[in-house]
Amino acid sequence: MPPHPDQRDITDAHMHSQRESKLLSAPAEIRRAIYANIIPSQIHAFLSQGRIQLSVCLQPNLGDDCHDGREREIRGEESSQAKWARRLRSSWGPHWECEQVALAENIDLHEHCRNHIYNLLFVCKKMFLDVCDFVSENKVTNVTDLDTLQVLLQKTDELDNGLNYPWSLWESIFPGIQKLNVTLRLPLAFYRALEEDEVLVSEAGHDLSAGSATYATWAGLWSAICQLQRLRSLHIWLDHDDKSSWSVVKERLALHRVIAILAAHMQARSGEENLMHMDITFNLPKLHPRIARPDTHFVQESAPPPFIIERRIRQRNFCEEGPGGNLSVIYNPDFPIMCDLPDFLDLDINGEPNMNGEPRMTLLEVEEFERKLWEEGTDVEQLLLGGYVCF
Ligand SMILES: [Zn+2]
């Protein structure tokens, strides 16, 4: 277990008691209530110029079916395809608006939130540690890229002190965090490389060194996350940034290592009375019935216990860059595609025209209807291109 804040050897020798501070002399519950009012409930950690920075998370829903890219469109007089396209390209995925805040495109909000946290942190050393402990225990930390995760997970003795504060913010917060959200919108090629490495490692009798350096880093990150002794909630949101279906990724290969590492860790935790239970949730795009197979994907009946795998409708609008660097938006929906047809939702649940005012099909009903068509061998895309649907 990480040392209790009062046991950290950096503290006592160099820290003023601050007995005259009314805030720091107040009971812990009062101090925490005050911090809770000032610090946002979710924060982002990201790298900027080699340093970990903090920013506010606007808390997009990471699992609903409403974030397909249309919500990023700019309507009205300021309508701009290029700006919409840039938003769709964000590597922060559903946190695209948080990225704008972090990169100070929304300067007022960014400065407001950032200053509140930093002003509080740097009042004095005692408050710094008090606030760090509060953030570790109560706030959700969001990370949206592997480089940041790698820096956060480096051990203290590996850190380059030249790049960090003498009193490093993240050395004080990260080892004790309890809730971590990892949101990764990675290049499709990254998942392809993981698949290839997994085959090599498997052929070498699960010798991890048979994989590439990227594979070793990937495996190392998840192992390091498992070393966060107080972590009790880990949410992993994954996607690739290509317009092709998510299901072209062979989940069972590409995600084999992360699942194996987390499963082994959970098994070890279950035997340790002192260690807290950790909830692990994967949030992945819906599988395409034409591509996904039980031997390559975590289809409903083959999801690996004890993990929870949630499925969501994937981003359907993408940024496309022309030869001259001009940006435009293209629409390329993954399964299900019928739910975007307004007329379709006017059909009843048997696919018949809705003549009697019965409720429209729900999203789930449309999805099941389309799934059945694909499973029967119907190419739904071709049907829709032809402008008609056969029932
Ligand atoms: Zn966010």
Side-chain angles (χ1 to χ4, degrees):
M1 297 283 283
H4 185 274
D6 293 338
Q7 296 170 332
R8 283 183 287 218
D9 57 5
I10 57 170
T11 60
D12 299 335
H14 308 286
M15 194 161 61
H16 191 280
S17 68
Q18 305 293 354
R19 281 193 201 93
E20 67 276 21
S21 162
K22 287 198 170 125
L23 175 57
L24 286 169
S25 307
E29 313 84 70
I30 306 277
R31 297 202 309 274
R32 286 169 175 249
I34 292 169
Y35 299 153
N37 265 316
I38 296 172
I39 301 172
S41 59
Q42 293 204 23
I43 52 177
H44 276 274
F46 65 101
L47 273 180
S48 175
Q49 297 177 330
R51 279 188 165 189
I52 295 289
Q53 302 284 345
L54 279 182
S55 66
V56 64
C57 177
L58 304 175
Q59 299 182 46
N61 188 319
L62 298 178
D64 70 13
D65 292 322
C66 304
H67 291 77
D68 61 6
R70 277 175 300 194
E71 79 286 357
R72 306 184 201 185
E73 187 176 2
I74 300 144
R75 296 194 171 90
E77 287 178 13
E78 291 181 25
S79 173
S80 160
Q81 276 267 313
K83 203 167 175 185
W84 182 18
R86 271 197 299 278
R87 290 178 173 184
L88 294 168
R89 192 166 60 175
S90 169
S91 63
W92 289 39
H95 292 279
W96 63 275
E97 226 168 344
C98 310
E99 183 186 25
Q100 288 190 337
V101 173
L103 302 181
E105 286 182 37
N106 187 339
I107 290 170
D108 289 345
L109 182 59
H110 175 69
E111 289 300 312
H112 175 76
C113 298
R114 187 179 184 280
N115 288 346
H116 269 76
I117 301 173
Y118 280 89
N119 287 345
L120 200 59
L121 278 165
F122 297 109
V123 168
C124 65
K125 292 173 182 175
K126 196 170 172 89
M127 189 172 288
F128 177 92
L129 292 174
D130 207 33
V131 171
C132 286
D133 289 333
F134 173 76
V135 171
S136 302
E137 287 171 27
N138 297 280
K139 303 300 177 183
V140 179
T141 303
N142 287 274
V143 180
T144 57
D145 69 281
L146 293 173
D147 290 340
T148 300
L149 208 49
Q150 197 170 3
V151 171
L152 288 172
L153 290 164
Q154 277 176 311
K155 292 196 177 70
T156 308
D157 54 6
E158 295 170 7
L159 285 169
D160 177 353
N161 284 331
L163 293 176
N164 286 276
Y165 308 117
W167 284 65
S168 168
L169 182 61
W170 284 98
E171 280 178 55
S172 298
I173 290 179
F174 206 68
I177 66 160
Q178 299 194 3
K179 299 169 197 165
L180 176 62
N181 285 356
V182 180
T183 301
L184 298 173
R185 187 171 187 252
L186 301 166
L188 178 56
F190 183 89
Y191 291 99
R192 294 268 194 247
L194 286 182
E195 290 173 12
E196 288 170 16
D197 281 324
E198 200 55 54
V199 171
L200 292 174
V201 168
S202 173
E203 286 171 353
H206 297 284
D207 175 4
L208 298 193
S209 65
S212 67
T214 305
Y215 178 86
T217 303
W218 171 258
L221 285 176
W222 299 107
S223 296
I225 285 176
C226 292
Q227 301 306 310
L228 297 169
Q229 304 278 293
R230 293 186 181 169
L231 191 63
R232 57 186 168 82
S233 168
L234 176 61
H235 189 277
I236 304 164
W237 182 105
L238 297 175
D239 204 347
H240 62 69
D241 61 7
D242 193 84
K243 61 180 192 262
S244 52
S245 171
W246 160 257
S247 302
V248 300
V249 172
K250 294 187 177 82
E251 294 176 337
R252 285 183 175 277
L253 264 183
L255 305 183
H256 177 84
R257 191 52 44 194
V258 49
I259 294 218
I261 289 169
L262 294 175
H265 177 67
M266 286 182 79
Q267 176 80 19
R269 268 199 185 209
S270 65
E272 290 275 345
E273 284 182 14
N274 293 335
L275 290 177
M276 278 185 261
H277 173 75
M278 180 159 62
D279 290 322
I280 302 177
T281 302
F282 282 86
N283 190 279
L284 305 174
K286 287 181 187 288
L287 291 174
H288 198 301
R290 189 186 57 182
I291 307 169
R293 300 198 323 254
D295 60 327
T296 48
H297 294 79
F298 298 120
V299 296
Q300 207 166 10
E301 60 273 20
S302 65
F307 303 104
I308 297 169
I309 296 188
E310 298 170 342
R311 298 281 181 183
R312 64 174 190 278
I313 285 191
R314 185 171 183 250
Q315 184 176 326
R316 304 157 92 80
N317 296 281
F318 297 86
C319 171
E320 190 159 76
E321 189 167 345
N326 56 309
L327 301 181
S328 59
V329 175
I330 56 164
Y331 171 75
N332 204 51
D334 204 339
F335 175 83
I337 57 178
M338 284 178 157
C339 59
D340 280 355
L341 303 175
D343 291 345
F344 200 82
L345 292 172
D346 275 331
L347 300 175
D348 68 20
I349 57 172
N350 298 312
E352 300 294 336
N354 184 6
M355 306 296 285
N356 53 7
E358 296 274 321
R360 292 177 172 190
M361 289 173 81
T362 64
L363 182 62
L364 195 61
E365 287 165 346
V366 173
E367 185 181 324
E368 286 310 309
F369 180 70
E370 182 179 329
R371 183 190 309 283
K372 212 164 123 229
L373 289 176
W374 283 111
E375 287 172 354
E376 287 169 357
T378 307
D379 188 329
V380 180
E381 283 174 30
Q382 284 303 315
L383 275 179
L384 296 181
L385 279 175
Y388 63 93
V389 180
C390 297
F391 301 111

